[in-house]
Amino acid sequence: MAGPVRTTATPIVLSTFADAHDAYRSKDLRQALYDAGEVVMSGVLVNLHGQEHRDRRRVENRMFRREVFERYERELFPRVTDGTLARYEAAGGVDLVHLGHELMLNLAALTAGIDRPLGTPEETGRLYDYNARFIEGATMVHATGDREALRTAVAQALEDWDAEFLAPSAARRRDLLAREAAGEEVDVPRDVLTTLLRHADELDLPWEVIRREVAFFLLAGAHTSATAFVRTIDHLLGWLEEHPEDAGAARTDALFVQRAVHETVRLNPSSPTGMRRALAPVTLRSGVEIPEGATVVIDLQALNRDPELFGPDAAEFRPHRTPPPGVAPFGLSFAAGMHVCIGQDLAAGVVARPGTDPDEHLFGLVTGAVQRMFRAGVRRDPEHPPQRDTATARPYWGTYPVLLGEGT
């Protein structure tokens, strides 16, 4: 357990599940993970606090509803996934890291509200490059290079992306909203950009904040889902080498694949740490004292692998693992309290219960994409082993070549 630390200079590290859960629910501990990435994260939902956060969350929750998720998962996402995979299946292989970001970018663009009128690979490539810059900006705290140069590059990317993608997408939605308000029957998209435009006056949102908010949903949806996608496939490929009896389940049992996704996210949260800053003195129920101004680091890697909660094999990938009562199968990787991830159910689905009907269940976009890859015969390329990404301190894969189709 983390002990009391009474200086604001040394971060207070929380590494137990109870302390972390307590901290996430404290109204006096403010989000601090993205302070270094203000160029793209200033004023976005995840960085807001108090009443401002509640007002924005209340509006955006109107989009993140089950009926919206059902349409995405059962109609829109499968169509985009098949379209994205087609040329790689024909080629017989792909770099899983590139595919993960391309696929999840295509899916995230739907939910964020970014149109691609040309629909060409070149257009998708430009959006991919912009989003890669946004990701670098948001995770600047982990950057290993010149941060000021990176900040300048991210700011320019936001301007260029706005002109090429965001402004035209917004213009189309404003026209649809005006026609809807005039009584015309039109198909208005259910996405983040439309939601923000519909409620911009209510929230008093300047365009710069709308721009960063949509960019955040684009990067969060694409980046965190892409890393979970790659890591889940990696974990499952390793698991199936030792447990070939589960090979069929990886192709046909979405509940099994979803458990694998949750187990992967538990072991590998999108950020290995959470971070908060104390707006006032806080005492956790365990007795840990957090003085005003202190930085609190929540060690997700440690607490999500706590043997007291998840058993002696807590650090190992076990897709059949049953978590203890009251603990989510993905631990605290989606946070908790006021800042629990708004897109959790969209990405990872609803946690299944005993007797869950698969025909009525929401599995999440990552589950659908991973299962689709196993149906496509995904397997490691023995001639080209995967390599870690050396450009960041985060544990990402840099390249992960795989083969597709029937192999020997």
Side-chain angles (χ1 to χ4, degrees):
M1 178 186 299
V5 179
R6 299 184 180 279
T7 66
T8 58
T10 303
I12 297 171
V13 179
L14 305 180
S15 55
T16 71
F17 197 91
D19 280 347
H21 194 266
D22 225 7
Y24 275 134
R25 292 184 175 275
S26 173
K27 63 181 178 59
D28 290 321
L29 294 178
R30 182 187 183 116
Q31 173 69 264
L33 184 63
Y34 301 106
D35 287 357
E38 272 201 337
V39 62
V40 72
M41 299 296 288
S42 177
V44 306
L45 177 68
V46 73
N47 262 351
L48 300 180
H49 195 76
Q51 188 62 46
E52 192 177 11
H53 176 268
R54 286 191 290 273
D55 290 345
R56 183 87 60 84
R57 181 98 181 199
R58 185 182 65 251
V59 165
E60 293 182 0
N61 276 342
R62 297 170 190 174
M63 179 209 150
F64 287 85
R65 291 175 173 169
R66 182 180 177 92
E67 65 268 20
V68 179
F69 289 174
E70 285 178 344
R71 181 168 183 244
Y72 276 118
E73 182 170 314
R74 293 169 186 170
E75 180 185 341
L76 300 178
F77 286 162
R79 185 191 315 155
V80 173
T81 301
D82 287 345
T84 304
L85 280 177
R87 62 192 175 106
Y88 300 119
E89 287 186 283
V94 66
D95 185 294
L96 205 57
V97 175
H98 175 87
L99 172 62
H101 281 91
E102 180 184 351
L103 173 59
M104 296 304 170
L105 176 64
N106 287 337
L107 300 178
L110 280 177
T111 57
I114 298 301
D115 297 334
R116 269 83 58 77
L118 300 180
T120 62
E122 292 77 17
E123 183 185 57
T124 299
R126 290 195 300 277
L127 185 59
Y128 184 100
D129 291 341
Y130 286 132
N131 199 56
R133 279 296 187 198
F134 302 159
I135 293 167
E136 289 178 320
T139 60
M140 200 175 298
V141 67
H142 299 287
T144 56
D146 184 338
R147 292 190 182 182
E148 191 54 44
L150 177 57
R151 189 174 291 108
T152 300
V154 172
Q156 186 60 55
L158 275 169
E159 294 281 350
D160 296 342
W161 167 76
D162 186 340
E164 182 175 358
F165 288 99
L166 183 61
S169 298
R172 186 173 80 85
R173 282 158 179 76
R174 286 193 182 101
D175 176 66
L176 289 170
L177 289 170
R179 290 163 58 189
E180 180 188 61
E184 188 176 341
E185 289 190 11
V186 290
D187 185 13
V188 181
R190 300 290 295 272
D191 53 45
V192 173
L193 177 56
T194 304
T195 302
L196 294 176
L197 293 175
R198 190 188 292 276
H199 300 281
D201 291 341
E202 173 188 342
L203 294 174
D204 191 25
L205 290 178
W207 179 248
E208 290 75 16
V209 173
I210 292 177
R211 176 167 61 194
R212 288 193 294 269
E213 184 86 328
V214 176
F216 163 69
F217 273 98
L218 186 69
L219 75 88
H223 182 54
T224 61
S225 297
T227 54
F229 168 79
V230 176
R231 288 165 171 167
T232 302
I233 293 174
D234 173 58
H235 279 308
L236 274 174
L237 289 173
W239 175 262
L240 295 178
E241 287 177 358
E242 298 182 5
H243 301 272
E245 68 276 9
D246 281 333
R251 294 189 299 271
T252 63
D253 185 351
L255 287 171
F256 168 77
V257 177
Q258 186 187 32
R259 288 195 296 272
V261 171
H262 290 170
E263 179 75 342
T264 296
V265 173
R266 178 185 70 84
L267 292 169
N268 304 279
S270 60
S271 174
T273 60
M275 194 174 293
R276 294 292 186 267
R277 185 160 292 109
L279 303 178
V282 173
T283 300
L284 303 182
R285 284 178 292 181
S286 65
V288 172
E289 296 181 9
I290 303 170
E292 181 177 353
T295 297
V296 177
V297 174
I298 299 169
D299 189 346
L300 292 169
Q301 289 279 69
L303 63 91
N304 275 355
R305 299 174 181 223
D306 185 348
E308 293 187 10
L309 286 178
F310 296 102
D313 60 355
E316 300 174 22
F317 176 79
R318 294 286 184 267
H320 297 290
R321 185 187 307 278
T322 300
V327 177
F330 37 73
L332 283 175
S333 292
F334 290 108
M338 71 183 82
H339 278 290
V340 66
C341 177
I342 195 171
Q344 172 183 310
D345 290 349
L346 183 66
V350 176
V351 176
R353 300 180 182 278
T356 289
D357 182 354
D359 293 334
E360 300 295 327
H361 188 60
L362 287 178
F363 296 96
L365 68 91
V366 179
T367 300
V370 169
Q371 186 172 30
R372 178 68 175 79
M373 290 297 291
F374 278 91
R375 287 175 176 166
V378 65
R379 59 198 187 279
R380 294 186 179 119
D381 184 342
E383 301 296 323
H384 302 94
Q387 303 292 327
R388 291 290 185 181
D389 185 353
T390 59
T392 177
R394 289 188 173 190
Y396 295 147
W397 290 108
T399 62
Y400 202 118
V402 295
L403 302 176
L404 300 173
E406 296 299 323
T408 57

